[in-house]
Amino acid sequence: MKLDAEQVRGIVELREKLQERLEQLRQEVEMTTLNIDALDTVLTQSSFTRASQYKPPDTLPPEDTELQPKSVPPPPSNDDAEPIIVNDATIGGITKSDDNISIMLHVPVSIQTQPFKSFFLERIIGGMIKKDTIEAENERLPKDSVMRYELKTQGDTLSHIIIYNYRLEERAREITSTIRWTLSRMLEHVR
């Protein structure tokens, strides 16, 4: 069967769209896996059991029994900060305002340690910035609302990350879960 130029162009366009969609799905699967890993880490550190490993007790405790939760390490000095906990140690804190997310670190980690640049900065934050930039170029977003970030370092030791204009709560959740995962992987490389 011989195809004319219009049909070939249509097939090529469809193939490109399918490849783009496949890449989007791969990224969604990877992000979902990262989020599950981050949640498992939080649950593990909070003395919970993974849902896949949970076995219901044979009997329930008497109604007057008070269940005491395990103690959690204290949060950083900022009362509003969510602690970043890795291996039962508080390594930093995350605070969020209406327009920025601030990530303070209490342990020395190098910005060169993987997967900080390649995954967190380039893929996650860079992907969000790219989307915002396209929206701004198409005049659907003011240029001053494009996401940006600032790193505070001493040499190549990272101490503070500020992400401006995250705008969406979904983005805030993605940023906080991926920075927790990223930092836990970075600390594995340090040990």
Side-chain angles (χ1 to χ4, degrees), residues 4-175:
D4 64 29
E6 180 92 17
Q7 290 172 320
V8 170
R9 215 176 0 264
I11 291 171
V12 169
E13 286 176 14
L14 177 61
R15 184 177 189 283
E16 288 174 358
K17 286 180 183 177
L18 289 172
Q19 284 181 310
E20 287 174 13
R21 180 65 180 137
L22 182 60
E23 182 57 30
Q24 288 173 341
L25 290 171
R26 283 186 184 128
Q27 290 176 358
E28 287 178 32
V29 166
E30 186 173 322
M31 184 51 57
T32 301
T33 302
L34 292 174
N35 286 330
I36 289 170
D37 289 346
L39 290 171
D40 284 344
T41 300
V42 169
L43 289 174
T44 300
Q45 293 167 350
S46 299
S47 77
F48 286 95
T49 304
R50 285 184 180 196
S52 62
Q53 297 171 337
Y54 176 74
K55 292 187 178 96
D58 293 334
T59 59
L60 296 173
E63 286 184 28
D64 61 345
T65 303
E66 289 185 31
L67 299 175
Q68 299 296 323
K70 282 191 172 181
S71 63
V72 175
S77 58
N78 183 340
D79 292 337
D80 296 334
E82 293 177 37
I84 301 172
I85 303 170
V86 174
N87 296 330
D88 298 324
T90 301
I91 65 163
I94 301 173
T95 56
K96 186 176 75 165
S97 70
D98 290 339
D99 63 349
N100 71 61
I101 297 171
S102 177
I103 303 159
M104 292 289 294
L105 300 176
H106 306 313
V107 296
V109 290
S110 169
I111 60 173
Q112 304 303 323
T113 305
Q114 291 300 332
F116 183 71
K117 279 186 175 179
S118 63
F119 179 72
F120 184 72
L121 286 185
E122 293 173 9
R123 190 164 189 181
I124 301 302
I125 301 302
M128 292 178 187
I129 291 171
K130 183 178 180 181
K131 287 178 184 174
D132 282 3
T133 302
I134 291 169
E135 292 290 307
E137 288 170 355
N138 293 323
E139 299 181 358
R140 291 190 294 258
L141 181 69
K143 289 191 188 308
D144 62 349
S145 294
V146 171
M147 181 188 278
R148 62 187 175 86
Y149 67 89
E150 179 181 345
L151 302 179
K152 298 200 178 194
T153 61
Q154 190 163 26
D156 75 343
T157 302
L158 183 63
S159 62
H160 192 180
I161 307 164
I162 306 170
I163 300 165
Y164 301 95
N165 301 327
Y166 68 89
R167 293 189 353 261
L168 304 170
E169 195 56 40
E170 175 185 318
R171 281 183 166 187
R173 285 192 301 273
E174 184 174 358
I175 290 165

